[in-house]
Amino acid sequence: MKSLRVTLGLLLALCLLLGAGSALAADTIKITAQQPITGRFAFAGKHINQGLADSLAWANEQGGVDGIKVEYIYEDTGYDLKRAVAAFKKMMAKYSPVMDYGESTGQGKALSPEINSRYHVVYGSTSFSQELADRAKNPYIFVSGPTYAQQFGILLKYIAANPKTKGKKPTVAFFHSDTEFGRDPIPFAREMAKKLGVEVVAEEVTAVGAVDVTSQLLDLKRHNPDYCIFQGYVVPPIPAIIRGAKDFGLKTTFMGTFWTMSNMLLDKLGADGEGYMGVMPYAYWYHTEVPMIKIIQDFNKRHHPDVAYRPNSYMQGWFTGMVFVKLAKMCKAKGLPITGPNLKDMIPQVKDWDTQGFAGMVSFKSSNATAVGKVYVGKGGKFVPASDWIYLD
């Protein structure tokens, strides 16, 4: 009899324990973030943070993940790598999140070995690094759009389809900063250009924010490329290069990747921004014909009535929130617990996901990046589409 009472007691304790565990598991889905809200990257970090927070709040308004709410917890890092790594480890210990967002490429590269072997948390970030999107090396890490290399690939596909002179091979120059950010896509771009029949006639390199670009401009004049693609800058020295090229009488079309496709740059360029082109993974705030942009504008009208504009960095945060929720919903649909390892397994299973016009039809095919973007052109102080969505692979 004593043995039966002990067994029943153990069963009751086990039931209570399991019941409590289920309740806790279903309480909220915790997503943590280390955001550069202050410091030299704050111009973008504060918008990325707001975009991610708003995207998750909107998902909660739609019922969360089958009734489970998403809880967003963030910490400011000041764009300091040591501070970001320390904040990540502290938040892992305190909240045990299943998904996390990091402040930079540096943070992703510093933590990737431990994310894969110890923390097992799905990780997004501000980065478009090819290395971080390598699924074989970093199965838990995804990039919120095409990598820089894929963005070059999209631009080169556009160039190959739009030669300046019919029957003549288009020519291009790569113009990048002497940084990891600037160099990242160049090897891939050289190969892609060769494959597409686009001739690379020059590669110009400067320091970030270089003031004197005379020698690079003279070299551009000598090669006179049809197109020139910038990488590794945000604003300077781009206005000086475009104006200098015009002074030399060049008819080159200048292009950029994500960070050089902001309205901030168009404002700096003024009249010289007419005809400036580049690739973007998302629609712009003022593309009100896009269904997801209508949703974003409606959310802002209700929650941030004083906001008149949201930049590209906000859109990156919003899209990352969409990916986090998408992965969690896929786990639920398959009857799997929402854990880091299960979320990680969902990434390559995202196929032809309709983002309501916001980022094309998204698939994570051969890498943990979307490999899709649209080419836009500056017109009247805004970016307007110059192409439909362009897919690699």
Side-chain angles (χ1 to χ4, degrees):
M1 190 65 185
K2 185 179 177 184
S3 174
L4 180 61
R5 281 202 300 269
V6 170
T7 303
L8 287 172
L10 285 171
L11 281 172
L12 179 61
L14 183 61
C15 288
L16 287 170
L17 182 63
L18 288 174
S22 298
L24 286 171
D27 190 13
T28 59
I29 298 166
K30 289 185 172 61
I31 299 175
T32 49
Q34 302 77 51
Q35 295 278 20
I37 297 168
T38 58
R40 66 188 172 90
F41 198 66
F43 73 92
K46 60 186 178 183
H47 295 296
I48 293 171
N49 182 54
Q50 193 62 61
L52 180 51
D54 284 356
S55 179
L56 298 175
W58 175 73
N60 281 337
E61 285 184 355
Q62 308 307 304
V65 178
D66 288 353
I68 306 173
K69 297 291 184 184
V70 179
E71 183 180 355
Y72 180 55
I73 308 153
Y74 68 91
E75 193 166 305
D76 180 23
T77 64
Y79 200 54
D80 180 297
L81 180 56
K82 286 184 181 174
R83 199 169 144 191
V85 170
F88 171 89
K89 293 186 175 183
K90 185 181 76 177
M91 295 176 104
M92 290 299 115
K94 186 172 181 181
Y95 302 109
S96 298
V98 290
M99 292 179 271
D100 183 80
Y101 187 89
E103 64 147 34
S104 63
T105 299
Q107 183 186 344
K109 289 185 178 179
L111 287 168
S112 60
E114 288 183 276
I115 288 172
N116 294 328
S117 64
R118 178 182 175 188
Y119 292 110
H120 300 142
V121 60
V122 162
Y123 178 91
S125 75
T126 60
S127 178
F128 293 96
S129 160
Q130 184 87 341
E131 182 181 330
L132 290 180
D134 185 335
R135 184 176 298 147
K137 290 181 182 171
N138 299 306
Y140 284 86
I141 299 176
F142 73 91
V143 167
S144 296
T147 64
Y148 291 125
Q150 291 170 342
Q151 291 177 45
F152 261 69
I154 290 161
L155 289 175
L156 288 166
K157 278 187 84 170
Y158 177 86
I159 290 169
N162 294 275
K164 290 284 183 78
T165 308
K166 246 184 178 179
K168 188 185 166 194
K169 186 187 280 191
T171 59
V172 65
F174 300 151
F175 207 121
H176 64 89
S177 63
D178 190 16
T179 61
E180 189 174 343
F181 172 29
R183 293 185 293 268
D184 182 275
I186 301 304
F188 174 88
R190 289 184 195 125
E191 286 180 25
M192 189 75 177
K194 193 175 177 183
K195 189 175 162 188
L196 292 168
V198 177
E199 185 182 357
V200 181
V201 293
E203 291 189 21
E204 310 296 341
V205 184
T206 73
V208 178
V211 176
D212 184 2
V213 290
T214 308
S215 63
Q216 289 85 359
L217 274 170
L218 286 170
D219 202 47
L220 269 190
K221 183 186 175 188
R222 189 160 65 86
H223 292 289
N224 192 21
D226 297 328
Y227 294 90
C228 177
I229 305 176
F230 293 116
Q231 171 65 22
Y233 308 106
V234 175
V235 176
I238 293 174
I241 294 162
I242 292 178
R243 284 169 188 145
K246 284 192 173 180
D247 290 343
F248 279 137
L250 298 184
K251 302 295 182 190
T252 304
T253 297
F254 289 92
M255 301 176 133
T257 54
F258 179 79
W259 293 109
T260 53
M261 284 300 288
S262 67
N263 271 52
M264 180 170 66
L265 176 59
L266 271 193
D267 290 344
K268 294 279 184 189
L269 287 170
D272 294 318
E274 289 291 304
Y276 176 73
M277 303 183 83
V279 59
M280 262 290 288
Y282 326 113
Y284 284 83
W285 169 262
Y286 39 72
H287 293 160
T288 51
E289 72 282 7
V290 174
M292 183 53 73
I293 290 293
K294 284 182 185 171
I295 289 170
I296 293 171
Q297 290 215 5
D298 174 68
F299 182 91
N300 274 273
K301 196 174 176 182
R302 289 185 287 110
H303 297 278
H304 311 290
D306 296 333
V307 167
Y309 178 73
R310 291 295 194 186
N312 302 351
S313 40
Y314 177 91
M315 300 306 172
Q316 194 208 32
W318 184 282
F319 180 68
T320 305
M322 288 174 66
V323 175
F324 283 149
V325 172
K326 172 72 175 173
L327 297 176
K329 284 186 172 179
M330 287 174 71
C331 279
K332 286 292 285 182
K334 290 175 181 290
L336 297 170
I338 299 173
T339 64
N342 287 336
L343 290 163
K344 174 258 296 176
D345 291 341
M346 295 302 109
I347 297 173
Q349 297 183 48
V350 175
K351 285 181 183 164
D352 299 326
W353 171 32
D354 183 358
T355 60
Q356 300 188 60
F358 187 60
M361 299 293 283
V362 168
S363 303
F364 290 98
K365 291 181 180 171
S366 57
S367 71
N368 283 354
T370 64
V372 56
K374 191 179 278 194
V375 176
Y376 293 90
V377 59
K379 197 173 180 182
K382 293 181 178 179
F383 284 107
V384 300
S387 78
D388 202 344
W389 294 106
I390 296 176
Y391 297 84
L392 297 184
D393 296 337

